[in-house]
């Protein structure tokens, strides 16, 4: 059986929730391999809406859901999210949920540092969600992180606390904050430990057994490739690698486990927070896209910036992540536009280029080169076959395929799971 890796091929918010939910209902295991609770998925199943940000989407359908070691875990956020899911009738047990015992923890001190930095940055803000993701990853690579497995050995934590406090106390002093209250931190960890440890295990072993049994694994990415710490619009990025290759290091399975790489792509472009956005529309059209697309962040509720489809960016992200096919979402938001534009290149210093440059100043300076297409007046809402789509909508989709040099695997025409035109089945490809 084929595995499937789902990644966002723009700046996140591409509509991964619906696609992952649909795939999860046919998978045997769903794995989160990077990020934290800074990315949200909204699922609509049988008329009920679920908003999740940390637990893999498969949990709603009872599919084995695993948080891999590449994720930074806020144990208090995990407990709150599971409590909310259980309140909606979702059963979460050791049989259908597991957390890697080598996951680094997000602590209250990480959230504090995140907020202090953003407040002090002024115009230099990068638009962090303030949930402590970045500082937790910093402690991981700085080899001073407290991990899930440490919760079972809190009495032996002093040497790690010494390293952690030596770093954070100096930073906190620079912001005029008192040093870490070690006793309070230990008490908070001791209280939350039993809840987290009931789900903790070496998940690479469980995943190895799932794979040996020939079962289907769905790797669920968070955010989007344009927020990748290496390949995104640096420094306006997240603190982890969001490309498909991260599944190997973030789950404990090898790189040959990725299978079909499905890039989720919105039929226009959105972005939350600061950073370059070549096709952004600060006009009536941008407002129309945002209103019709209900463009507000699942986690932050921040209003998303909106613009025309940028084929340059998506072509680049598909290449970076080895995308096999894309799932095009929210095509219905473009219903009724007389004219639709697609960005096919950039103008930088008088020259036309076909990629997004690495330097932030160049990224901010590029001007989009547009191609115009006739829009459609019919509706795409609820379409489940090509025959249900207006001819111009099909032309738009085919032009996107040509420009991004990657085929369309499916087209989503509403938030409902079944309102999808399936071209290629990732699990059967």
């Amino acid at each position: 059986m084929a595995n499937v890796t789902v990644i966002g091929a723009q700046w996140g918010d591409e509509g991964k929730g619906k696609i992952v939910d649909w795939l999860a209902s046919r998978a045997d295991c769903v794995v989160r391999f990077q990020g934290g609770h800074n990315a949200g998925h909204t699922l609509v199943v049988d008329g009920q809406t679920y908003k999740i940000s940390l637990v893999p989407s498969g949990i709603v359908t009872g599919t084995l859901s695993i948080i891999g070691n590449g994720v930074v875990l806020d144990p208090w956020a995990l407990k709150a999210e599971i409590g909310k899911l259980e309140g909606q009738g979702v059963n979460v047990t050791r049989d259908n949920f597991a957390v890697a015992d080598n996951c680094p923890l997000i602590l209250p001190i990480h959230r504090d540092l995140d907020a202090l930095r953003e407040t002090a940055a002024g115009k230099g803000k990068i638009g962090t969600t303030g949930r402590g993701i970045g500082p937790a990853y910093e402690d991981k690579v700085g080899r001073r992180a407290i991990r899930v497995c440490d919760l079972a050995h809190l009495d032996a934590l002093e040497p790690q606390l010494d390293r952690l406090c030596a770093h954070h106390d100096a930073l906190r002093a620079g912001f005029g904050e008192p040093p870490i209250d070690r006793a309070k931190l230990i008490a908070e960890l001791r209280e939350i430990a039993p809840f987290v440890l009931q789900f903790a295990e070496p998940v690479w072993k469980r995943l190895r057994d799932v794979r040996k049994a020939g079962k289907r694994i769905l790797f669920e990415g968070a955010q989007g490739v344009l927020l990748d710490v290496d390949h995104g619009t640096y420094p306006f990025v997240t603190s982890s690698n969001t490309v498909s290759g991260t599944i190997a290091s973030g789950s404990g399975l090898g790189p040959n486990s990725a299978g079909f790489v499905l890039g989720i792509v919105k039929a226009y472009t959105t972005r939350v927070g600061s950073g370059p956005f070549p096709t952004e529309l600060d006009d009536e059209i941008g407002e129309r896209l945002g209103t019709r697309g209900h463009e507000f962040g699942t986690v932050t509720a921040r209003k998303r910036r909106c613009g025309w489809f940028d084929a340059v960016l998506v072509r680049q992200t598909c290449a970076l992540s080895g995308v096999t096919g894309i799932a095009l979402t929210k095509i219905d938001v473009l219903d009724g536009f007389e004219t639709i534009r697609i960005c096919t290149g950039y103008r930088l210093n008088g020259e036309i280029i076909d990629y997004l440059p690495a330097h932030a100043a160049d990224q901010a300076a590029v001007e989009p080169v547009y191609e115009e297409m006739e829009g459609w007046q019919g509706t795409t809402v609820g379409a489940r076959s090509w025959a249900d789509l207006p001819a111009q909508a099909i032309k738009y989709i085919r032009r996107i395929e040509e420009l991004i040099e990657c085929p369309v695997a499916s087209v989503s025409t509403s938030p409902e799971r079944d309102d999808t035109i399936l071209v290629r089945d990732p699990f059967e490809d």
Side-chain angles (χ1 to χ4, degrees):
M1 292 292 184
N3 295 335
V4 177
T5 298
V6 174
I7 52 105
Q10 292 158 308
W11 276 293
D13 307 312
E14 300 95 350
K16 291 186 290 294
K18 168 187 169 175
I19 306 299
V20 169
D21 170 54
W22 177 72
L23 291 168
S25 66
R26 302 166 61 238
D28 299 297
C29 178
V30 183
V31 185
R32 274 284 307 273
F33 57 89
Q34 50 78 217
H37 64 306
N38 54 338
H41 289 169
T42 300
L43 313 177
V44 181
V45 183
D46 296 329
Q48 185 165 8
T49 300
Y50 304 88
K51 294 189 176 184
I52 55 180
S53 56
L54 186 56
V55 179
S57 301
I59 201 71
V60 174
T61 55
T63 305
L64 173 61
S65 298
I66 290 177
I67 293 179
N69 60 275
V71 174
V72 283
L73 182 83
D74 184 322
W76 298 275
L78 176 68
K79 185 175 182 179
E81 188 166 306
I82 289 178
K84 185 177 179 182
L85 286 167
E86 289 179 336
Q88 291 184 281
V90 178
N91 194 28
V92 182
T93 68
R94 278 192 64 91
D95 291 333
N96 65 3
F97 179 64
V99 175
D101 55 4
N102 53 343
C103 261
L105 297 178
I106 299 175
L107 306 172
I109 58 173
H110 295 132
R111 297 194 297 269
D112 293 345
L113 183 57
D114 219 349
L116 288 168
R117 283 174 170 170
E118 279 290 272
T119 301
K123 293 182 179 179
K125 289 181 179 180
I126 59 174
T128 173
T129 59
R131 283 163 168 75
I133 309 296
Y137 273 117
E138 289 175 35
D139 282 349
K140 173 184 176 178
V141 298
R143 294 167 293 181
R144 54 182 170 265
I146 295 174
R147 303 186 299 171
V148 169
C149 54
D150 294 318
L151 295 175
H153 302 276
L154 291 176
D155 291 336
L157 202 61
E158 287 302 320
Q160 287 167 265
L161 278 179
D162 289 341
R163 292 195 298 273
L164 190 72
C165 291
H167 177 77
H168 280 268
D169 285 350
L171 292 174
R172 291 168 69 91
F175 288 109
E177 294 293 313
I180 295 170
D181 186 335
R182 293 169 65 135
K184 180 182 178 184
L185 178 58
I186 286 290
E188 290 173 330
L189 290 173
R190 204 174 294 280
E191 182 180 12
I192 197 68
F195 179 83
V196 179
L197 289 173
Q198 67 177 314
F199 302 114
E201 63 179 81
V203 299
W204 66 269
K205 290 185 64 179
R206 195 165 186 179
L207 287 171
R208 178 195 61 184
D209 293 342
V210 169
R211 193 176 182 202
K212 278 184 175 180
K215 296 183 178 180
R216 292 170 163 172
I217 301 174
L218 174 63
F219 297 97
E220 177 184 8
Q223 293 101 15
V225 174
L226 292 170
L227 293 175
D228 186 280
V229 70
D230 286 310
H231 302 291
T233 49
Y234 192 92
F236 304 99
V237 292
T238 192
S239 298
S240 62
N241 287 110
T242 59
V243 292
S244 61
T246 313
I247 70 129
S249 59
S251 69
L253 283 177
N256 61 344
S257 302
F260 189 109
V261 180
L262 183 66
I264 313 301
V265 178
K266 196 177 289 185
Y268 49 101
T269 311
T270 63
R271 169 161 210 173
V272 170
S274 306
F277 186 167
T279 65
E280 183 173 11
L281 298 170
D282 292 316
D283 58 14
E284 183 181 327
I285 294 176
E287 285 292 325
R288 183 178 176 186
L289 288 171
T291 301
R292 295 194 63 182
H294 306 289
E295 296 297 351
F296 295 91
T298 299
V299 170
T300 64
R302 288 185 291 182
K303 185 178 180 181
R304 296 174 187 145
R305 301 153 63 190
C306 298
W308 293 119
F309 185 85
D310 193 329
V312 180
L313 290 181
V314 177
R315 182 172 59 244
Q316 188 164 323
T317 59
C318 285
L320 288 167
S321 261
V323 173
T324 312
I326 69 164
L328 191 67
T329 66
K330 291 198 167 185
I331 188 75
D332 52 299
V333 173
L334 297 178
D335 289 355
F337 279 87
E338 291 185 7
T339 302
I340 295 174
R341 299 178 114 191
I342 302 177
C343 176
T344 59
Y346 299 137
R347 186 176 288 105
L348 179 64
N349 300 325
E351 295 184 10
I352 302 298
I353 59 174
D354 62 354
Y355 66 98
L356 186 70
H359 197 276
D362 290 336
Q363 292 175 354
V366 297
E367 299 175 5
V369 176
Y370 285 116
E371 175 182 300
E372 287 195 352
M373 295 186 67
E374 180 184 345
W376 55 90
Q377 299 308 305
T379 182
T380 62
V381 177
R384 299 185 181 183
S385 71
W386 290 115
D388 296 331
L389 294 177
Q392 282 302 125
I394 296 175
K395 288 182 181 179
Y396 179 70
I397 295 167
R398 294 306 185 200
R399 185 57 178 147
I400 284 175
E401 285 183 309
E402 292 172 359
L403 290 170
I404 68 173
E405 301 173 1
C406 188
V408 166
S410 65
V411 180
S412 172
T413 58
S414 93
E416 292 297 327
R417 181 196 291 176
D418 294 332
D419 289 343
T420 302
I421 300 170
L422 183 63
V423 182
R424 299 173 68 183
D425 188 332
F427 276 127
E428 302 296 339
D429 195 88

